[in-house]
């Protein structure tokens, strides 16, 4: 191999590092034995931090590497940072939780690291093959993590459901990819883009393939009508895993979705925009309506995540850089809100047992005013009430929609957000207006408490200092459209 | 003094109070007392600062004054832009005037979670003042919607038995209207060249076809806030369930947001659409005045009665606004300020007897004049101001607004029926208010518990005296209020294609 080829690996250094870290951590775990869970967890957090630094160092410039299979750009770097942060926080959440539930095994952080490597690969995929490899690496790790509490029927059920349906979606995606390859003659994104330029190679078979790919991706982001697995998996999986699911893989899948639509199939925007439109509307409406009657807060968060994907997809449907910028901001802010909300759910423990009913939050404002305030902030933010960050997230999305002339989508979106506000605000009602239920166990784990406090402050004060995030999102979105 | 960011100070001073109240810990009784005092001093300081604002205000210009501008989201050309003109100045004063009154009025009645209560009111004050000062749409919208959070909590935590229902109804109704306005704001952003600066938008021409949609979107938001018939139904519920001070803020300031929005945005930015839809507004307002007045006559809950009277009075405001005459607009403004004080005071009057007997049922009272003469006097002043007796603020507002309606009735702008029916509403207003007053204050005392009720506490007198003073001041010398707002209102009228130059419609031609 010529020496000059070596530097072309550099763009993929963060991914390689995370992959190697997973193997190293596995070794540490195996040699240190069963009790090494805490050590491996902290080491994995360190690995995520190092990976984030590497992403910022090597991932910001647009470079295609590994024979056109792999791309780094600002867009990818932005999403990878969100994913890494989400993964790190999930591992931290699991530290205390797994110990209390008696499932503190070192395999958990290792699996999360492996899944994260897959997600980073997905975000940087520049070929349908590397896309699939990344997706499967992620998914297989996630199936195991979902059923990590293997003595719990709910957890194993969640893992199995996720596996069966996930495999089906992967199959669809693969089928679509093969059709695209058959009709366009390429799997590389750049080649596909060239092939589709100026209306060339636009055949019904290709569109079929595109639709199948969209179906597969819609499943991964849990958009309606491919959302059925979400509530069950979210409810059944251990809470830190649910937090993980609703942030990191979702962000990675949305990033992948955006890249696949905008990059190789950018010339077919008129074909797929209507599909995204329909998926987005369906997700927003179903997410808003189905959540109203939920009694379990994790299920509620599942429907909330479905609705939120609907909003993020508005940005994609517009197909422009303003829309992508909206998606980036939305996913970043959504990640913080969701992490915060799940941090609060992790504190819902009574006499050593986790409780998940919304009614269990009754009168929380009197027993634990701090926790109630934090959850209240996240709920109002998810509802999109200013001046909280959730409002600005929606603001950028709707700004893009209006700019692109998607009035119908914008109107449906805001109306659905009013319906959605009902169930978020209902949680505030339960916490603040109802008579207190027995108090939750104290003290809250210091790690969870710290994450909660940071998330709450970020959400509350984002409006005062939005520039760092908005500027980087603008720069990141621009890289996707610069050619 | 000129270089101080006065408006930001007025807006965010209450937050400083919140920061002091937050860390209070220890004995419940002490915490409650300290929270009360901090809230009182903060709100009084805010009021004095805003009074200084009025003192420094230059009444001869229509331009925005005390302007502050700071870069916020430069890439979107969204900035933190604040300023007041003759229209917003008095709403700022109204908000800062009512907040200390609310704090004092809640001194004894509120005993649970006092700390949070005071925090909610101070945050509410910041939101309200900020909303009236904002000169950027995004800043405006943030404050406009931000009001929902403290108000939702105030109704829901300290409210009456059906507080949850009322809080949700209030929250969702208002939110539904506002989100449509948000889309309109985004559309304006692109129409005026990628900025959310309000003064820029006020000087831009928006294509007439687009105006229709934008006007309707803004209308959805403001009509709910005002509230106009038939979207007023949240108001009686919210008022009845809210604690007294919550009702004061709702009636005193929150309803004014709608009227302010019409004057600030709808008229100058969508002048053509405002002309087109004026008959709709007139129609709804007339229905509101007559219908809610009749409904008010039939109420047996005091708070509900006053809530319905609010809808009727705000109907006169919307008529005054959409006549787009100098008299009509000035009348609407005075009527809003007057209603802000008078209905707030009436809710406080209800609160006084409610605190003693814990019922708002009119039939439970009667003959209060015998054992509560001071109360009877205060209640009388506000009843008469609400009816619109000359010499009180209510008269000036209603008179000018109706004058505007009659004037518009001369031209094609409004049908003469509008003025006629609105005036009828005033007579009905006198009927239900005096009927209420008679049933509560006069007649013989029939019940033992009513006989034992004691007259006003000095703290309650402290609340009522400044309000009576304002009502009389506005009624006897309205010029100190009218003068600063005239240039700004004149500019609004300029923006609207002159009422007279509209193509003559049918009934004018017949004349």
């Amino acid at each position: 191999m010529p020496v000059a080829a070596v530097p072309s690996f550099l763009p993929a250094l963060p991914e390689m590092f995370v992959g190697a870290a997973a193997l190293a951590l596995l070794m540490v775990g195996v040699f240190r034995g069963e009790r090494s869970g805490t050590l491996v967890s902290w080491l994995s957090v360190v690995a995520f931090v190092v990976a984030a630094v590497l992403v910022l160092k090597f991932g910001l410039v647009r470079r295609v590497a590994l024979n056109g299979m792999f791309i780094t750009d600002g867009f990818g770097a932005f999403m990878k940072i969100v994913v890494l942060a989400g993964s790190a926080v999930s591992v931290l959440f699991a530290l205390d939780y797994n110990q209390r539930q008696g499932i503190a095994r070192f395999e958990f952080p290792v699996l999360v690291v492996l899944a994260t490597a897959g997600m980073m690969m997905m975000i940087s995929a520049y070929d349908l093959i590397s896309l699939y490899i990344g997706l499967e690496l992620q998914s297989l790790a996630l199936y195991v993590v979902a059923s990590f509490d293997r003595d719990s029927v709910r957890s194993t059920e969640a893992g199995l459901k996720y596996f069966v349906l996930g495999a089906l979606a992967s199959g669809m995606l693969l089928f679509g990819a093969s059709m695209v390859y058959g009709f366009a003659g390429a799997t590389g994104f750049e080649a596909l883009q060239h092939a589709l330029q100026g209306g060339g190679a636009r055949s019904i078979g290709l569109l079929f393939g595109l639709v199948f790919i969209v179906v597969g991706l819609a499943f991964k982001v849990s958009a309606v009508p491919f959302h059925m697995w979400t509530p069950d998996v979210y409810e059944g999986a251990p809470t830190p895993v649910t937090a993980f699911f609703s942030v990191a893989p979702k962000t990675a899948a949305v990033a992948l979705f955006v890249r696949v639509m905008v990059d190789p199939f950018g010339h077919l925007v008129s074909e797929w925009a209507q599909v995204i439109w329909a998926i987005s509307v369906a997700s927003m409406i179903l997410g808003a309506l189905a959540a109203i009657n939920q009694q379990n807060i994790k299920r509620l968060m599942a429907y909330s995540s479905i609705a939120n994907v609907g909003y993020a997809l508005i940005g994609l449907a517009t197909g422009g850089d303003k829309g992508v910028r909206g998606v980036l901001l939305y996913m970043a802010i959504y990640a913080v809100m969701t992490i915060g909300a799940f941090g609060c759910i992790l504190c819902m423990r009574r006499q050593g047992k986790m409780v998940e009913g919304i009614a269990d939050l009754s009168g929380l404002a009197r027993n634990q005013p701090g926790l109630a305030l934090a959850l209240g902030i996240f709920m109002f933010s998810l509802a999109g009430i200013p001046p909280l960050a959730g409002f600005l997230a929606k603001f950028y999305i709707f700004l893009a929609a209006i700019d692109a002339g998607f009035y119908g989508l914008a109107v449906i979106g805001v109306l659905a957000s009013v319906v959605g506000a009902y169930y978020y605000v209902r949680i505030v009602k339960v916490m603040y207006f109802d008579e207190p239920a027995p108090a939750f166990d104290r003290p809250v784990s210091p790690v969870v408490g710290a994450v909660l406090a940071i998330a709450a402050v970020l959400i509350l004060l984002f409006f005062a200092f939005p520039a760092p995030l908005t500027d980087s999102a603008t720069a990141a979105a621009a890289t996707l459209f610069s050619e | 003094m000129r270089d101080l960011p006065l408006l930001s100070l007025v807006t965010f001073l209450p937050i400083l109070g919140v920061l002091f109240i937050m860390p209070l810990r220890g004995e419940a009784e002490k915490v409650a007392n300290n929270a009360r005092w901090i809230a009182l001093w903060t709100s009084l300081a805010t009021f004095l600062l805003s009074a200084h604002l009025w003192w420094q205000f230059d009444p001869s210009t229509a331009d925005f004054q005390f302007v502050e501008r700071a870069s916020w989201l430069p890439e979107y050309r969204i900035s933190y832009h604040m300023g007041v003109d003759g229209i917003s100045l008095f709403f700022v004063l109204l908000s800062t005037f009512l907040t200390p009154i609310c704090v004092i009025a809640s001194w004894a009645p509120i005993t649970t979670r006092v700390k949070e209560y005071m925090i909610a009111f101070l945050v509410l004050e910041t939101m309200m003042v900020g909303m009236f000062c904002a000169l950027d749409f995004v800043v405006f919208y943030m404050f406009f919607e931000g009001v929902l959070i403290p108000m939702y909590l105030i109704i829901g935590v300290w409210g009456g038995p059906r507080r949850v229902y009322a809080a949700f109804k209030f929250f969702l109704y208002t939110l539904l209207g506002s989100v449509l306005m948000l889309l309109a704001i985004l559309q304006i952003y692109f129409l005026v060249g990628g900025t959310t600066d309000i003064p820029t938008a006020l000087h831009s021409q928006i294509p007439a076809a687009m105006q229709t949609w934008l006007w309707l979107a803004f209308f959805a938001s403001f009509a709910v806030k005002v509230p106009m018939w038939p979207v007023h139904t949240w108001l009686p519920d919210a008022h009845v369930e809210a604690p007294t001070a919550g009702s004061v803020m709702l009636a005193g300031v929150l309803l004014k947001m709608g009227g302010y929005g019409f004057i600030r945005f709808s008229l100058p930015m969508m002048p053509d659409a405002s002309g087109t839809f004026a008959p709709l507004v007139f129609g709804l307002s007339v229905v509101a005045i007559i219908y809610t007045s009749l409904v008010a006559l039939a109420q047996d809950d005091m708070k509900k009665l006053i809530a319905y009277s609010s809808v009727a009075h705000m109907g006169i405001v919307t008529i005054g606004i959409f006549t787009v005459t100098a008299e009509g607009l000035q009348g609407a403004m005075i009527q809003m300020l007057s209603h802000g004080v008078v209905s707030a005071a009436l809710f406080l009057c209800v609160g006084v007897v409610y605190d003693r007997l814990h019922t708002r049922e009119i039939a439970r009272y009667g003959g209060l004049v015998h054992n509560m003469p001071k109360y009877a006097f205060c209640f009388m002043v506000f009843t008469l101001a609400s009816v619109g007796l000359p010499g009180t603020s209510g008269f000036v507002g209603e008179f000018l607004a109706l004058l505007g309606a009659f004037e518009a009735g001369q031209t094609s702008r409004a049908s003469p029926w509008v003025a006629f029916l609105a005036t009828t509403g005033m007579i009905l207003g006198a009927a239900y208010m005096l009927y209420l007053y008679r049933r509560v204050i006069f007649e013989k005392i029939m019940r033992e518990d009513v006989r034992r009720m004691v007259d006003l506490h000095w703290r309650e007198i402290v609340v009522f005296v400044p309000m009576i003073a304002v009502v009389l001041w506005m009624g006897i010398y309205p010029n100190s209020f009218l003068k600063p707002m005239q240039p700004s209102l004149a500019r609004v009228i300029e923006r609207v294609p002159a009422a007279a130059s509209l193509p003559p419609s049918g009934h004018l031609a017949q004349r």
Side-chain angles (χ1 to χ4, degrees):
Chain A
M1 193 204 289
V3 182
V6 174
S8 79
F9 282 103
L10 271 185
L13 195 62
E15 284 73 13
M16 287 165 21
F17 172 78
V18 174
L23 301 179
L25 290 175
L26 186 62
M27 285 298 134
V28 173
V30 169
F31 282 106
R32 301 274 307 222
E34 271 297 303
R35 310 188 64 82
S36 60
T38 313
L39 176 72
V40 176
S41 294
W42 282 108
L43 284 178
S44 69
V45 173
V46 173
F48 288 135
V49 173
V50 174
V53 173
L54 289 175
V55 167
L56 290 176
K57 185 120 178 63
F58 295 102
L60 286 174
V61 190
R62 187 188 144 86
R63 268 188 296 192
V64 179
L66 309 180
N67 292 323
M69 299 280 263
F70 190 88
I71 185 173
T72 60
D73 53 7
F75 171 80
F78 188 99
M79 287 303 208
K80 280 180 204 169
I81 298 289
V82 177
V83 165
L84 285 167
S87 302
V89 171
S90 311
V91 172
L92 289 177
F93 277 171
L95 257 179
D96 178 63
Y97 178 91
N98 286 359
Q99 244 153 35
R100 292 196 195 213
Q101 301 294 110
I103 50 172
R105 283 186 289 270
F106 71 87
E107 288 92 339
F108 181 79
V110 173
L111 283 166
V112 172
V113 175
L114 266 179
T116 308
M119 291 173 213
M120 293 169 75
M121 189 71 205
M122 281 160 68
I123 296 174
S124 272
Y126 208 50
D127 188 296
L128 290 173
I129 308 268
S130 55
L131 178 161
Y132 187 74
I133 292 172
L135 194 69
E136 281 307 283
L137 176 57
Q138 177 227 225
S139 301
L140 285 171
L142 292 185
Y143 302 145
V144 184
V145 180
S147 51
F148 198 72
D149 193 359
R150 63 180 176 205
D151 296 330
S152 146
V153 180
R154 279 165 71 207
S155 180
T156 40
E157 181 195 323
L160 188 65
K161 246 181 204 160
Y162 193 24
F163 173 66
V164 173
L165 288 172
L168 182 70
S170 296
M172 297 252 198
L173 188 96
L174 210 50
F175 182 54
S178 68
M179 281 183 93
V180 168
Y181 176 65
F183 283 90
T187 54
F189 287 4
E190 205 158 6
L192 278 172
Q193 200 182 26
H194 284 304
L196 294 172
Q197 214 156 24
R202 192 173 298 189
S203 60
I204 201 80
L206 186 80
L207 288 184
F208 250 89
L210 177 60
V211 168
F212 274 108
I213 291 181
V214 170
V215 169
L217 292 174
F219 177 91
K220 297 291 175 194
V221 299
S222 68
V224 179
F226 311 103
H227 65 284
M228 271 77 118
W229 59 278
T230 321
D232 294 337
V233 173
Y234 275 36
E235 188 189 352
T239 309
V241 176
T242 315
F244 181 52
F245 279 5
S246 57
V247 177
K250 184 149 280 188
T251 310
V254 167
L256 179 67
F257 210 153
V258 170
R259 193 189 291 285
V260 170
M261 291 298 118
V262 170
D263 216 324
F265 299 111
H267 296 294
L268 294 181
V269 61
S270 55
E271 312 286 346
W272 55 256
Q274 41 187 326
V275 180
I276 306 291
W277 192 99
I279 291 179
S280 164
V281 165
S283 303
M284 289 187 294
I285 293 178
L286 186 123
L289 294 179
I292 290 176
N293 243 340
Q294 297 307 323
Q295 303 304 325
N296 181 302
I297 191 157
K298 280 163 80 179
R299 266 189 109 76
L300 181 124
M301 288 305 291
Y303 284 108
S304 148
S305 90
I306 293 171
N308 277 301
V309 161
Y311 292 107
L313 289 181
I314 291 181
L316 177 57
T318 63
D321 64 336
K322 279 204 185 70
V324 172
R325 173 171 59 190
V327 175
L328 287 165
L329 281 168
Y330 199 91
M331 291 317 290
I333 293 172
Y334 164 78
V336 180
M337 295 189 290
T338 313
I339 284 173
F342 276 105
C344 296
I345 297 174
L346 276 174
C347 299
M348 295 171 61
R349 184 187 292 276
R350 210 168 268 151
Q351 275 125 37
K353 272 191 70 170
M354 296 298 294
V355 288
E356 292 168 2
I358 290 173
D360 291 312
L361 288 164
S362 287
L364 187 66
R366 297 208 199 182
N367 296 330
Q368 276 164 289
L371 187 62
L373 180 68
L375 189 53
I377 289 175
F378 299 130
M379 287 302 141
F380 274 122
S381 179
L382 280 165
I385 308 294
L388 303 168
F391 163 70
L392 284 163
K394 288 205 169 74
F395 174 81
Y396 291 111
I397 288 282
F398 289 124
L399 191 73
I402 294 285
D403 186 31
F406 282 62
Y407 299 113
L409 193 55
V411 170
I412 296 172
V414 291
L415 294 183
S417 86
V418 175
V419 180
Y422 169 76
Y423 62 80
Y424 295 124
V425 172
R426 184 166 70 110
I427 302 211
V428 177
K429 171 238 156 194
V430 170
M431 290 191 303
Y432 277 85
F433 304 172
D434 290 359
E435 286 308 308
F440 293 135
D441 294 355
R442 292 218 243 179
V444 170
S445 135
V447 178
V448 175
V451 171
L452 262 184
I454 294 171
V457 169
L458 283 179
I459 293 296
L460 191 60
L461 294 183
F462 174 70
F463 74 92
F465 313 100
L469 190 65
T470 53
D471 287 353
S472 46
T474 309
T479 61
L480 201 60
F481 289 88
S482 69
E483 260 134 80
Chain B
M1 211 50 194
R2 265 297 189 181
D3 340 330
L4 272 179
L6 263 184
L7 287 181
S8 293
L9 277 177
V10 176
T11 308
F12 293 108
L13 194 61
I15 294 290
L16 188 72
V18 170
L19 294 181
F20 275 104
I21 295 179
M22 282 264 216
L24 292 180
R25 290 277 181 284
E27 222 176 295
E29 195 47 43
K30 265 194 186 134
V31 168
N33 238 334
N34 287 337
R36 288 183 186 120
W37 279 108
I38 296 176
L40 180 62
W41 285 117
T42 325
S43 53
L44 278 178
T46 315
F47 175 63
L48 288 178
L49 212 57
S50 63
H52 177 76
L53 209 63
W54 189 10
W55 188 255
Q56 297 264 313
F57 188 82
D58 174 7
S60 61
T61 168
D63 290 332
F64 288 103
Q65 302 180 34
F66 310 103
V67 173
E68 296 165 27
R69 190 195 275 277
S71 165
W72 184 32
L73 291 164
E75 53 177 313
Y76 293 88
R77 289 174 65 204
I78 298 170
S79 55
Y80 173 77
H81 191 181
M82 305 279 264
V84 287
D85 65 355
I87 301 171
S88 45
L89 173 71
F90 290 107
F91 290 116
V92 172
L93 282 164
L94 184 64
S95 315
T96 56
F97 174 69
L98 288 178
T99 307
I101 284 182
C102 282
V103 172
I104 301 175
S106 312
W107 208 273
I110 300 293
T111 48
T112 53
R113 299 204 241 176
V114 178
K115 189 173 127 182
E116 288 85 350
Y117 184 85
M118 292 302 166
I119 291 177
F121 267 89
L122 290 178
V123 171
L124 185 65
E125 184 178 18
T126 289
M127 297 291 176
M128 294 184 307
V129 174
M131 195 217 76
F132 289 122
C133 294
L135 286 187
D136 183 284
F137 273 123
V138 178
V139 180
F140 167 79
Y141 189 81
M142 284 197 142
F143 284 122
F144 187 85
E145 285 279 274
V147 167
L148 290 184
I149 300 179
M151 203 63 214
Y152 170 77
L153 293 175
I154 288 170
I155 298 176
V157 177
W158 295 277
R162 288 174 73 234
R163 61 208 159 92
V164 174
Y165 171 76
F168 269 104
K169 199 167 175 183
F170 161 75
F171 191 94
L172 294 176
Y173 249 85
T174 330
L175 186 65
L176 186 63
S178 327
V179 291
L180 293 173
M181 178 174 76
L182 176 66
L183 294 183
I185 288 176
L186 294 174
Q187 182 61 52
I188 290 172
Y189 172 84
F190 292 108
L191 284 176
V192 303
T195 177
T196 49
D197 200 42
I198 289 175
T200 313
L202 289 178
H203 292 109
S204 315
Q205 295 293 340
I206 294 173
M210 199 42 109
Q211 279 188 23
T212 309
W213 294 107
L214 295 179
W215 193 92
L216 285 173
F218 274 88
F219 184 70
S221 175
F222 298 143
V224 171
K225 277 269 178 193
V226 165
M228 292 177 76
W229 185 86
V231 285
H232 66 284
T233 59
W234 64 270
L235 185 78
D237 287 314
H239 269 315
V240 169
E241 300 307 326
T244 303
S247 297
V248 168
M249 277 302 169
L250 262 177
V253 186
L254 263 63
L255 303 193
K256 308 302 171 300
M257 292 176 160
Y260 171 75
F262 282 135
I263 299 180
R264 169 70 80 227
F265 304 116
S266 299
L267 285 186
M269 278 171 16
M270 284 84 81
D272 301 329
S274 297
T276 316
F277 287 112
L280 170 75
V281 175
F282 291 142
L284 294 180
S285 306
V286 166
V287 173
I289 294 172
I290 308 262
Y291 166 78
T292 51
S293 297
L294 292 174
V295 174
L297 262 177
Q299 294 304 316
D300 30 53
D301 180 307
M302 293 164 127
K303 259 186 153 179
K304 224 168 189 163
L305 190 150
I306 298 169
Y308 278 111
S309 86
S310 288
V311 182
H313 282 134
M314 292 306 284
I316 293 184
V317 171
T318 42
I319 288 180
I321 292 173
F322 280 88
T323 60
V324 207
T325 55
E327 291 78 15
L329 275 172
Q330 288 173 23
M333 283 290 295
I334 293 286
Q335 171 76 354
M336 278 197 271
L337 297 175
S338 154
H339 177 262
V341 178
V342 171
S343 71
L346 286 172
F347 279 118
L348 287 170
C349 288
V350 178
V352 166
V353 288
Y354 180 79
D355 291 339
R356 286 162 176 68
L357 226 52
H358 295 285
T359 172
R360 291 181 301 259
E361 205 189 326
I362 299 172
R364 288 281 284 106
Y365 296 95
L368 289 181
V369 69
H370 302 295
N371 52 349
M372 299 177 75
K374 289 180 209 155
Y375 174 72
F377 173 75
C378 293
F379 199 176
M380 181 191 72
V381 172
F382 298 119
T383 304
L384 294 178
S386 170
V387 169
L389 189 80
T392 62
S393 57
F395 171 73
V396 182
E398 291 189 357
F399 178 76
L400 283 174
L402 291 173
L403 194 65
F406 274 110
E407 201 177 298
Q410 303 287 314
T411 67
S412 62
R413 193 129 183 114
S415 155
W417 282 100
V418 172
F420 172 73
L421 291 170
T423 319
T424 317
M426 278 183 73
I427 298 167
L428 285 172
Y432 61 73
M433 281 314 292
L434 295 177
Y435 184 42
L436 168 74
Y437 191 74
R438 197 201 77 192
R439 281 181 291 170
V440 174
I441 302 291
F442 296 139
E443 297 175 351
K444 281 207 187 85
I445 298 185
M446 305 298 284
R447 291 167 189 270
E448 200 42 46
D449 51 357
V450 174
R451 196 186 305 280
R452 281 201 307 272
M453 285 168 72
V454 286
D455 206 350
L456 295 182
H457 185 260
W458 63 265
R459 212 182 282 123
E460 289 160 340
I461 296 176
V462 167
V463 165
F464 284 125
V465 166
M467 298 184 100
I468 293 177
V470 170
V471 166
L472 294 179
W473 180 8
M474 231 188 270
I476 294 168
Y477 192 69
N479 218 16
S480 34
F481 298 89
L482 284 172
K483 211 157 164 257
M485 67 175 72
Q486 271 156 354
S488 303
L489 290 175
R491 181 172 286 183
V492 170
I493 297 171
E494 263 169 46
R495 291 278 305 171
V496 182
S501 71
L502 277 178
S505 71
H507 65 262
L508 188 75
Q510 282 163 21
R511 220 182 285 145

